[in-house]
Amino acid sequence: MIGIGAGDPEQLTLQAVRALRSTDVFFVLDKGEAKADLVRLRRDMLETHLPEGTYRVVEARDPERDRGAGGAAYSPAVGDWRSARAGIYERLIAEELGEDETGAFLVWGDPALYDSTLGILEEILERGTVAFEYDVVPGISSVSSLVARHRTGLNRVARPVQITTGRRLAEGFPEDADDVVVMLDAHQTFRRYADQDIDIYWGAYLGTPDEILDSGPIAEAAPRIERLRAEARERKGWIMDTYLLRRNPGER
Ligand SMILES: C[S@@+](CC[C@H](N)C(=O)[O-])C[C@H]1O[C@@H](n2cnc3c(N)ncnc32)[C@H](O)[C@@H]1O
């Protein structure tokens, strides 16, 4: 399992490049028309770092996820989707990989952060139908990318930082942290906090040629980000964005 960074081929680590070079087969999951760009970015990374003809790429269709399931139904829906994915990965490993070959899953950003590939490989091993060993190569996450581009840190001196999802942020601003990184937010949840003393550091398509950055006091930045987001979505058909909310502790 190779973390490939959040989009910039130059953010692959030397360890990742070494792992790419010792791979025979790359498994690439296609998430449909809108995400075809992400498959292209992965293929570009391989073409940048590997001699032609030294590897195979096997593409498969990602199962549809029941995104409508909210509240208590959310976890089972994710569980079903993970199992469906495990079935596909299991078949790919069994059918596409020779006995002595090495396969690799290219994981966006860092495999440890909001990614299910680790859990899926463990589920396959538990099923016991195919046997394999695997290693994890860490990657530069979109969170590291975001704060680097904004030339800021994640935490303030001796203070905690929390990484969470848009869904969680909608339930309330975390009580124990004033620095909060939000991922997987399709609903621009930051808008709920636009009347508070908070700075936002926002980034979309980080590390890619389409990268967009904005930052500032949330009251001023939120409407700008909403506009930028809508324009980008319209233009590209999909968006991937992350942001850091930095609250003035006096706001609590
Ligand atoms: C399923 S998570 C995967 C995170 C990934 N493992 C990582 O380390 O960045 C997908 C979320 O990561 C964030 N993300 C990933 N790549 C990004 C990028 N290039 N620009 C902005 N956000 C990104 C977005 O919040 C997106 O909703």
Side-chain angles (χ1 to χ4, degrees):
M1 194 179 319
I2 307 174
I4 55 171
D8 183 346
E10 295 202 346
Q11 282 182 359
L12 278 165
T13 64
L14 295 178
Q15 192 183 17
V17 172
R18 191 191 294 271
L20 293 180
R21 293 204 171 136
S22 61
T23 298
D24 302 298
V25 184
F26 293 98
F27 300 117
V28 178
L29 274 282
D30 172 14
K31 289 185 180 169
E33 283 290 302
K35 297 281 171 83
D37 287 0
L38 296 182
V39 173
R40 184 69 248 159
L41 276 167
R42 284 190 180 86
R43 280 189 171 269
D44 286 348
M45 285 187 191
L46 296 180
E47 284 161 23
T48 305
H49 292 288
L50 302 178
E52 217 185 309
T54 57
Y55 59 92
R56 312 198 292 283
V57 176
V58 176
E59 283 189 30
R61 188 94 191 159
D62 221 5
E64 283 300 321
R65 180 152 151 201
D66 179 10
R67 289 187 183 275
Y74 183 62
S75 291
V78 171
D80 291 348
W81 174 74
R82 182 181 281 201
S83 290
R85 261 190 142 183
I88 294 171
Y89 286 25
E90 186 179 31
R91 185 179 55 72
L92 291 179
I93 294 168
E95 294 176 5
E96 302 286 349
L97 205 56
E99 196 60 34
D100 297 319
E101 284 189 321
T102 302
F105 291 96
L106 304 181
V107 176
W108 209 247
D110 182 62
L113 197 58
Y114 290 111
D115 186 87
S116 46
T117 316
L118 271 168
I120 290 170
L121 291 193
E122 282 303 316
E123 184 169 331
I124 299 171
L125 284 173
E126 269 170 34
R127 291 180 184 186
T129 47
V130 285
F132 55 87
E133 290 171 352
Y134 72 94
D135 287 311
V136 179
V137 177
I140 295 179
S141 72
S142 53
V143 177
S144 300
S145 238
L146 174 77
V147 287
R149 293 294 289 134
H150 282 290
R151 293 183 295 183
T152 187
L154 274 175
N155 63 290
R156 278 169 287 179
V157 179
R159 303 278 306 155
V161 56
Q162 188 169 127
I163 300 176
T164 191
T165 62
R167 188 180 285 264
R168 290 264 172 195
L169 185 71
E171 291 166 8
F173 202 97
E175 299 212 336
D176 320 334
D178 293 313
D179 292 82
V180 177
V181 177
V182 184
M183 305 175 79
L184 295 160
D185 183 4
H187 303 292
Q188 306 175 80
T189 312
F190 56 82
R191 291 180 296 184
R192 290 180 181 228
Y193 302 96
D195 60 345
Q196 296 194 20
D197 185 3
I198 290 175
D199 286 327
I200 184 169
Y201 299 84
W202 175 81
Y205 316 105
L206 290 158
T208 75
D210 297 302
E211 182 178 271
I212 318 171
L213 301 170
D214 202 339
S215 63
I218 195 164
E220 293 164 21
R224 276 200 313 265
I225 295 171
E226 251 185 276
R227 211 172 39 248
L228 287 168
R229 237 184 149 268
E231 284 164 9
R233 264 196 87 105
E234 178 72 25
R235 191 171 62 248
K236 287 188 64 70
W238 60 277
I239 189 159
M240 208 158 57
D241 60 342
T242 308
Y243 53 91
L244 167 67
L245 297 179
R246 175 158 289 159
R247 177 169 66 174
N248 177 346
E251 238 343 294
R252 262 190 279 162

Coordinates of all heavy atoms in Angstrom, one line a residue, residues 5-8 31 38 41 65 107-116 139-146 164 182-186 203-208 211 238-243, ligand 1:
G5 N 0.7 10.9 -1.9 CA 0.6 12.3 -1.7 C -0.7 12.8 -2.3 O -1.5 12.0 -2.9
A6 N -1.0 14.1 -2.1 CA -2.4 14.6 -2.4 C -2.6 15.0 -3.9 O -3.6 15.6 -4.2 CB -2.7 15.7 -1.5
G7 N -1.6 14.8 -4.7 CA -1.8 15.2 -6.1 C -0.6 15.6 -6.9 O -0.5 15.5 -8.1
D8 N 0.4 16.1 -6.2 CA 1.6 16.6 -6.9 C 2.6 15.4 -7.0 O 3.0 14.8 -6.0 CB 2.2 17.7 -6.0 CG 3.5 18.3 -6.6 OD1 4.0 17.7 -7.6 OD2 3.9 19.3 -6.1
K31 N -13.6 5.5 -10.0 CA -14.9 5.9 -9.3 C -15.8 6.6 -10.3 O -16.7 7.4 -9.9 CB -14.6 6.8 -8.2 CG -13.9 6.1 -7.0 CD -13.7 7.0 -5.9 CE -13.0 6.3 -4.7 NZ -12.6 7.1 -3.7
L38 N -8.8 11.6 -11.3 CA -7.9 11.1 -10.3 C -7.2 9.8 -10.8 O -6.0 9.6 -10.4 CB -8.7 10.8 -9.0 CG -9.3 12.0 -8.3 CD1 -10.1 11.6 -7.1 CD2 -8.3 13.0 -8.0
L41 N -4.4 11.1 -12.9 CA -3.3 11.6 -12.1 C -2.4 10.5 -11.6 O -1.2 10.6 -11.6 CB -3.8 12.4 -10.9 CG -4.2 13.9 -11.1 CD1 -5.0 14.4 -10.0 CD2 -2.9 14.7 -11.4
R65 N -21.4 3.8 -3.5 CA -21.6 3.8 -2.0 C -23.0 4.5 -1.8 O -23.3 5.4 -2.5 CB -20.5 4.7 -1.4 CG -20.6 4.9 0.0 CD -19.3 5.1 0.6 NE -19.3 5.9 1.8 CZ -18.3 6.5 2.2 NH1 -17.1 6.5 1.6 NH2 -18.3 7.2 3.3
V107 N -2.6 4.8 -2.8 CA -3.6 5.4 -1.9 C -3.3 7.0 -1.9 O -2.2 7.4 -1.7 CB -3.5 4.9 -0.4 CG1 -4.4 5.7 0.5 CG2 -3.8 3.4 -0.4
W108 N -4.4 7.7 -2.1 CA -4.3 9.1 -2.1 C -3.8 9.7 -0.8 O -4.3 9.3 0.3 CB -5.7 9.7 -2.4 CG -5.8 11.0 -3.1 CD1 -6.2 12.1 -2.6 CD2 -5.3 11.2 -4.4 NE1 -6.0 13.1 -3.5 CE2 -5.5 12.5 -4.7 CE3 -4.8 10.4 -5.4 CZ2 -5.1 13.1 -5.9 CZ3 -4.4 11.0 -6.6 CH2 -4.6 12.3 -6.8
G109 N -2.9 10.6 -0.8 CA -2.4 11.2 0.5 C -1.6 10.2 1.3 O -0.7 9.5 0.8
D110 N -2.0 10.1 2.5 CA -1.4 9.1 3.5 C -2.5 8.0 3.8 O -3.6 8.3 4.1 CB -1.0 9.8 4.8 CG -0.4 8.8 5.7 OD1 0.7 8.3 5.4 OD2 -0.9 8.6 6.8
P111 N -2.1 6.7 3.7 CA -3.0 5.6 3.9 C -3.6 5.6 5.3 O -4.6 5.0 5.6 CB -2.2 4.4 3.7 CG -1.0 4.8 3.0 CD -0.7 6.2 3.4
A112 N -3.0 6.4 6.3 CA -3.5 6.3 7.7 C -4.7 7.3 7.9 O -5.3 7.3 9.0 CB -2.4 6.7 8.6
L113 N -5.0 8.1 6.9 CA -5.9 9.2 7.2 C -7.2 9.1 6.3 O -7.1 9.2 5.1 CB -5.2 10.6 6.9 CG -5.9 11.8 7.4 CD1 -6.0 11.8 8.9 CD2 -5.0 13.0 7.0
Y114 N -8.3 8.8 6.9 CA -9.6 8.7 6.2 C -9.5 7.9 4.9 O -9.9 8.3 3.9 CB -10.2 10.0 6.0 CG -10.7 10.7 7.2 CD1 -10.1 11.8 7.7 CD2 -11.8 10.1 7.9 CE1 -10.6 12.4 8.9 CE2 -12.2 10.7 9.1 CZ -11.6 11.8 9.6 OH -12.0 12.3 10.8
D115 N -8.9 6.7 5.1 CA -8.8 5.8 3.9 C -9.1 4.4 4.4 O -8.7 4.0 5.5 CB -7.4 5.9 3.3 CG -7.4 5.1 2.0 OD1 -7.7 5.6 1.0 OD2 -7.1 3.9 2.1
S116 N -9.8 3.7 3.6 CA -10.3 2.3 4.1 C -9.4 1.2 3.5 O -9.7 0.0 3.9 CB -11.8 2.1 3.7 OG -11.9 2.5 2.3
G139 N 2.4 8.5 3.1 CA 2.4 9.5 2.0 C 2.2 10.9 2.6 O 1.8 11.0 3.8
I140 N 2.4 11.9 1.8 CA 2.1 13.3 2.3 C 0.6 13.5 2.2 O 0.0 13.4 1.1 CB 2.9 14.3 1.4 CG1 4.4 14.1 1.7 CG2 2.5 15.7 1.8 CD1 5.3 15.0 1.0
S141 N 0.0 13.8 3.3 CA -1.5 13.9 3.3 C -1.9 15.3 2.8 O -1.1 16.2 2.7 CB -2.0 13.7 4.7 OG -1.7 14.9 5.5
S142 N -3.2 15.3 2.4 CA -3.7 16.6 2.0 C -3.7 17.6 3.1 O -3.6 18.8 2.9 CB -5.2 16.5 1.5 OG -6.0 15.8 2.4
V143 N -3.7 17.2 4.3 CA -3.6 18.1 5.5 C -2.2 18.7 5.5 O -2.1 19.9 5.7 CB -3.8 17.3 6.8 CG1 -3.7 18.2 8.0 CG2 -5.2 16.6 6.8
S144 N -1.1 17.9 5.4 CA 0.2 18.5 5.3 C 0.3 19.5 4.2 O 0.9 20.5 4.3 CB 1.3 17.4 5.1 OG 1.2 16.5 6.2
S145 N -0.2 19.0 3.0 CA -0.2 19.9 1.8 C -0.8 21.2 2.1 O -0.3 22.3 1.7 CB -0.9 19.2 0.7 OG -0.2 18.9 -0.4
L146 N -2.0 21.2 2.7 CA -2.8 22.4 2.9 C -2.0 23.4 3.8 O -1.9 24.6 3.4 CB -4.1 22.0 3.7 CG -5.0 23.2 4.1 CD1 -5.7 23.8 2.9 CD2 -5.9 22.8 5.2
T164 N -11.2 16.2 11.5 CA -12.5 15.6 11.6 C -13.2 15.7 10.2 O -12.6 16.1 9.2 CB -13.3 16.3 12.7 OG1 -14.6 15.6 12.9 CG2 -13.6 17.8 12.3
V182 N -10.8 20.0 8.6 CA -12.1 19.4 8.1 C -11.8 18.8 6.8 O -11.4 19.5 5.8 CB -13.2 20.4 8.1 CG1 -14.5 19.7 7.8 CG2 -13.4 21.1 9.5
M183 N -12.2 17.5 6.7 CA -12.1 16.8 5.4 C -13.4 16.2 5.0 O -14.3 16.2 5.9 CB -11.1 15.6 5.5 CG -9.7 16.1 6.1 SD -8.6 14.8 6.4 CE -8.1 14.5 4.7
L184 N -13.6 15.7 3.8 CA -14.8 15.1 3.4 C -16.0 15.9 3.7 O -17.0 15.4 4.3 CB -14.9 13.7 4.1 CG -13.9 12.7 3.8 CD1 -13.8 11.6 4.9 CD2 -14.2 12.0 2.4
D185 N -16.0 17.2 3.3 CA -17.1 18.1 3.6 C -17.7 18.5 2.2 O -17.2 19.4 1.6 CB -16.6 19.3 4.4 CG -17.8 20.2 4.7 OD1 -19.0 19.8 4.4 OD2 -17.6 21.3 5.3
A186 N -18.9 17.9 1.9 CA -19.5 18.2 0.6 C -20.5 19.4 0.8 O -21.1 19.8 -0.2 CB -20.3 17.0 0.1
G203 N -8.2 24.9 0.9 CA -7.5 24.5 -0.3 C -8.3 23.5 -1.1 O -8.8 22.6 -0.5
A204 N -8.3 23.6 -2.4 CA -9.0 22.6 -3.2 C -8.0 22.1 -4.3 O -7.1 22.9 -4.7 CB -10.2 23.2 -3.9
Y205 N -8.1 20.9 -4.7 CA -7.3 20.2 -5.7 C -5.8 20.5 -5.4 O -5.0 20.8 -6.2 CB -7.5 20.8 -7.1 CG -9.0 20.9 -7.5 CD1 -9.6 22.2 -7.5 CD2 -9.8 19.8 -7.8 CE1 -10.9 22.3 -7.9 CE2 -11.1 20.0 -8.2 CZ -11.7 21.2 -8.2 OH -13.0 21.4 -8.6
L206 N -5.5 20.4 -4.1 CA -4.1 20.7 -3.6 C -3.1 19.9 -4.4 O -3.2 18.7 -4.6 CB -3.9 20.4 -2.1 CG -4.7 21.4 -1.2 CD1 -5.0 20.7 0.1 CD2 -4.0 22.7 -1.1
G207 N -2.0 20.5 -4.8 CA -0.9 19.8 -5.5 C -1.1 19.6 -6.9 O -0.3 19.0 -7.6
T208 N -2.3 19.9 -7.4 CA -2.6 19.7 -8.9 C -2.6 21.0 -9.6 O -2.6 22.1 -9.0 CB -4.0 19.0 -9.1 OG1 -5.0 20.0 -8.9 CG2 -4.2 17.9 -8.1
E211 N -5.1 23.7 -8.4 CA -5.1 24.1 -7.0 C -5.7 25.5 -6.8 O -5.4 26.4 -7.5 CB -3.7 24.1 -6.5 CG -3.6 24.4 -5.0 CD -2.2 24.4 -4.5 OE1 -1.7 23.3 -4.1 OE2 -1.5 25.4 -4.6
W238 N -16.3 18.0 -10.3 CA -16.1 17.4 -9.0 C -15.1 18.3 -8.3 O -14.4 19.1 -8.9 CB -15.5 16.0 -9.1 CG -14.1 16.0 -9.8 CD1 -13.9 15.9 -11.2 CD2 -12.8 16.0 -9.2 NE1 -12.6 15.9 -11.4 CE2 -11.9 16.0 -10.2 CE3 -12.4 16.0 -7.9 CZ2 -10.5 16.0 -10.0 CZ3 -11.0 16.1 -7.7 CH2 -10.1 16.0 -8.7
I239 N -15.1 18.2 -6.9 CA -14.2 19.0 -6.2 C -13.7 18.2 -5.0 O -14.4 17.3 -4.4 CB -14.8 20.3 -5.7 CG1 -13.8 21.2 -5.1 CG2 -16.0 20.1 -4.7 CD1 -14.1 22.7 -5.0
M240 N -12.5 18.4 -4.6 CA -11.9 17.8 -3.4 C -11.2 18.9 -2.6 O -10.3 19.6 -3.1 CB -10.9 16.8 -3.8 CG -10.7 15.7 -2.8 SD -10.0 14.2 -3.6 CE -8.5 14.7 -4.2
D241 N -11.8 19.2 -1.4 CA -11.2 20.4 -0.7 C -11.1 20.0 0.8 O -11.7 19.1 1.3 CB -12.0 21.6 -0.9 CG -13.5 21.5 -0.4 OD1 -14.0 20.4 -0.3 OD2 -14.1 22.6 -0.2
T242 N -10.2 20.7 1.5 CA -9.9 20.6 2.9 C -9.6 21.9 3.5 O -9.2 22.8 2.8 CB -8.5 19.8 3.0 OG1 -8.6 18.6 2.2 CG2 -8.2 19.4 4.4
Y243 N -10.0 22.1 4.7 CA -9.7 23.4 5.4 C -9.4 23.3 6.8 O -9.7 22.3 7.5 CB -10.8 24.4 5.1 CG -12.2 23.9 5.6 CD1 -12.7 24.1 6.8 CD2 -13.0 23.2 4.6 CE1 -14.0 23.7 7.2 CE2 -14.3 22.8 5.0 CZ -14.7 23.0 6.3 OH -16.0 22.6 6.6
Ligands
LIG1 C1 -11.1 9.8 1.6 S1 -10.2 11.2 2.2 C2 -8.6 10.7 1.8 C3 -7.6 11.5 2.5 C4 -6.1 11.1 2.2 N1 -5.8 9.8 2.7 C5 -5.1 12.1 2.7 O1 -4.2 11.7 3.4 O2 -5.2 13.3 2.3 C6 -10.6 12.4 0.9 C7 -10.6 13.8 1.5 O3 -9.3 14.2 1.6 C8 -9.2 15.6 1.2 N2 -8.3 15.7 0.1 C9 -7.6 14.7 -0.5 N3 -6.8 15.1 -1.5 C10 -7.0 16.5 -1.6 C11 -6.5 17.5 -2.4 N4 -5.6 17.2 -3.4 N5 -6.9 18.8 -2.2 C12 -7.8 19.0 -1.2 N6 -8.3 18.1 -0.4 C13 -7.9 16.8 -0.6 C14 -10.6 16.1 1.0 O4 -11.1 16.6 2.2 C15 -11.3 14.8 0.6 O5 -12.7 14.9 0.9

